[in-house]
Amino acid sequence: MPEIKLKHVVSCSTEDSTHKADNLLSSDTYRKWKAARPGEKQISVILQFEKEEQVHSIDIGNEGSAFIEVLVGNSSAVRDQDYEVLLVTSSFMSPTESRSGTNMNRVRFFGPNQLQKSTAQEKWDKVKIVCSQPYSKNIAYGLAFVKFHSPPDKNDPPPTSSPKLTKLGQFRVKDESPSSGHSLQPGSLFFSRENATKSSTSLKGKSATPKHKPSPVSTPSPSTAKGNTVSESLQQVIYSCGELSLSFLIISTASPVQKAADRKRESEPKTKQKAKSQEEQQVPFTRLMEGVVFVLSGFQNPFRGELREKALEMGAKYRPDWTPDATHLICAFANTPKYSQVKSAGGIIVRKDWVLDCHKRKQKISYKRYLMDGPESSSESEMEVDDEKERKQKKAATEGTVVKDEDPYGGSTDENTDAEAEEDHPIPELPDFLSGKHFFLYGKFPNNDRRLLLRYIVAFNGVIEDYMTEKVQFVVTSEGWHDSFEDALMENTNLNFVKPDWIYAISARQKMLPYQPYTVVP
């Protein structure tokens, strides 16, 4: 894959007097770009390509950064909103490595499967690299090198095949070429279904005479055929084994039950068929959130990147900060700076479950069910009325009738009768605050705390692991820090050690809370 040449540095937020941003232009020298001083919250650099190119893969050499994100834009890009995300924020150092200053020069290669597909398919001439190191204030971090590659040329010669092996030691390898003679190949006993249907249609116009006479098949006499209106379908099933082929003609007659079903199917109203066709025309998965411009607040990587990726797959657009064209703020918890900004501006604030449920069910769900603090401009009764109207419209579509909008306040105000009170209502679903999170309970817990923790985690859609596997993200313990936790972090850098109070607080407040205040530290 040809390497994309970098022309010059457009701008950078900070640079060391020795390790300047211009060092990234000559990737063969592997000279570093570092921040001017340690402890900077975030640094960025904008590089210019020689011409517009399509980015196929990226090679990044780290220099003390915990997270690195790559965005792309065109020459007209001036603000942060003008850039599109090409590589979501990726982890290069764990918290333990950042504090100890180890593994600062990790190299990672990102292929086309790890880049944003919609962004990677277009051409760009600017790239913005954003680095951050929130775990250590003593490191002047940056980049060691970065390389961008364009897609391989179509004119490149294909890789040459390796020479055929004919002898292995003193043993001679059997020749498996087609010219070596007839052999029983996998799948040669049966034709595919497509070939069978093609051969059956070709036999409808003319009769075929097989080489080997088939066994006589009883056919109805002309007098019988005239008396009975029998629909006959001619099928041919061909079994092939070696050079032998047997052809069978199977004549199937339709039973009176089948004919009655055909008549009933033909007599169905056209409105029912139209309703079925409307149900079949569903919105494509890649357009479920078309028109949604979302902003994230309160989430941390890697879950932040996964949530953003799922929304982008469904056709939504992402903005780092709230802009006039933004429509939804997906918030982890209330009282964040973005939450206050959007609430004062009258924007829509929803929980993460809206994106997760739409992605899981592969259908667009109304955001009103996932509002952060309840509906702002409409009450819960109006939401229930909207849901009831939607159900009635679907039912009317299937029955071919038109239902007029009913006044929700036009009915009787009398109390419900006993018959109405006895109607069954669906059991409300439990909140899935811990969806996608894997837990491991370590050590001993006082009284009945272990059983209570298991109930809460399972009820909130979390997963309990019996052993310390790679899937574990949170270790819940009431014994404080243990020396074995350091070894566990070396094996799995995504581990977080928390107190049981975090789970209890989520259950008490009935919403997702950040785990950082409940972290177990040495």
Side-chain angles (χ1 to χ4, degrees), residues 333-353:
F333 48 89
N335 300 327
T336 64
K338 289 182 181 178
Y339 175 89
S340 304
Q341 175 190 358
V342 176
K343 189 174 182 180
S344 61
I348 300 173
I349 307 175
V350 296
R351 304 190 305 273
K352 68 179 187 311
D353 308 304

Side-chain angles (χ1 to χ4, degrees), residues 108-381:
R108 294 187 63 180
F109 304 97
F110 301 93
N113 295 332
Q114 296 166 289
L115 306 180
Q116 294 288 344
K117 295 181 181 179
S118 58
T119 308
Q121 291 174 357
E122 300 181 19
K123 292 186 177 181
W124 312 92
D125 59 357
K126 270 187 181 181
V127 60
K128 181 179 180 180
I129 305 172
V130 181
C131 306
S132 59
Q133 175 52 271
Y135 304 122
S136 177
K137 304 298 182 184
N138 303 321
I139 300 177
Y141 59 94
L143 285 178
F145 70 90
V146 61
K147 289 184 179 181
F148 301 92
H149 301 279
S150 58
D153 296 335
K154 296 181 180 179
N155 299 327
D156 290 348
T160 57
S161 58
S162 58
K164 190 173 182 180
L165 184 64
T166 58
K167 196 173 182 181
L168 184 62
Q170 296 183 353
F171 298 94
R172 187 176 180 182
V173 179
K174 182 180 178 181
D175 187 9
E176 296 291 348
S177 61
S179 60
S180 60
H182 297 285
S183 61
L184 186 62
Q185 299 293 335
S188 63
L189 295 179
F190 303 99
F191 284 101
S192 64
R193 183 176 182 180
E194 182 179 359
N195 293 336
T197 54
K198 287 182 179 179
S199 60
S200 64
T201 54
S202 63
L203 286 175
K204 287 182 180 181
K206 58 180 180 178
S207 59
T209 305
K211 293 181 181 179
H212 301 277
K213 286 187 177 181
S215 58
V217 181
S218 61
T219 57
S221 61
S223 60
T224 309
K226 290 180 180 179
N228 301 327
T229 58
V230 180
S231 62
E232 299 181 354
S233 62
L234 186 62
Q235 302 176 352
Q236 184 182 34
V237 182
I238 302 176
Y239 296 88
S240 173
C241 179
E243 296 179 353
L244 296 178
S245 62
L246 302 177
S247 301
F248 299 94
L249 299 179
I250 303 175
I251 301 176
S252 61
T253 60
S255 62
V257 179
Q258 292 176 345
K259 291 189 289 184
D262 293 339
R263 293 195 203 98
K264 187 177 180 180
R265 195 180 298 112
E266 292 175 359
S267 61
E268 285 183 350
K270 294 182 180 180
T271 55
K272 201 166 186 179
Q273 295 177 358
K274 289 183 180 179
K276 289 182 179 179
S277 62
Q278 291 177 358
E279 290 178 359
E280 291 174 357
Q281 294 177 356
Q282 297 180 352
V283 181
F285 178 72
T286 55
R287 296 176 57 188
L288 288 179
M289 288 192 174
E290 192 174 27
V292 174
V293 181
F294 68 96
V295 180
L296 298 177
S297 176
F299 299 99
Q300 288 190 344
N301 286 299
F303 179 74
R304 180 187 180 93
E306 295 174 358
L307 186 64
R308 177 170 50 188
E309 178 68 20
K310 289 181 179 180
L312 293 174
E313 287 178 1
M314 294 184 288
K317 292 185 179 180
Y318 169 72
R319 295 289 183 266
D321 297 306
W322 186 261
T323 56
D325 64 334
T327 60
H328 293 73
L329 174 66
I330 303 174
C331 205
F333 48 89
N335 300 327
T336 64
K338 289 182 181 178
Y339 175 89
S340 304
Q341 175 190 358
V342 176
K343 189 174 182 180
S344 61
I348 300 173
I349 307 175
V350 296
R351 304 190 305 273
K352 68 179 187 311
D353 308 304
W354 179 48
V355 177
L356 298 176
D357 289 351
C358 289
H359 191 277
K360 182 179 180 181
R361 301 180 185 178
K362 300 189 184 305
Q363 63 180 7
K364 187 173 183 179
I365 306 174
S366 175
Y367 68 87
K368 294 181 180 180
R369 306 177 185 177
Y370 303 89
L371 292 176
M372 194 71 184
D373 285 340
E376 294 289 340
S377 60
S378 61
S379 63
E380 293 185 2
S381 60

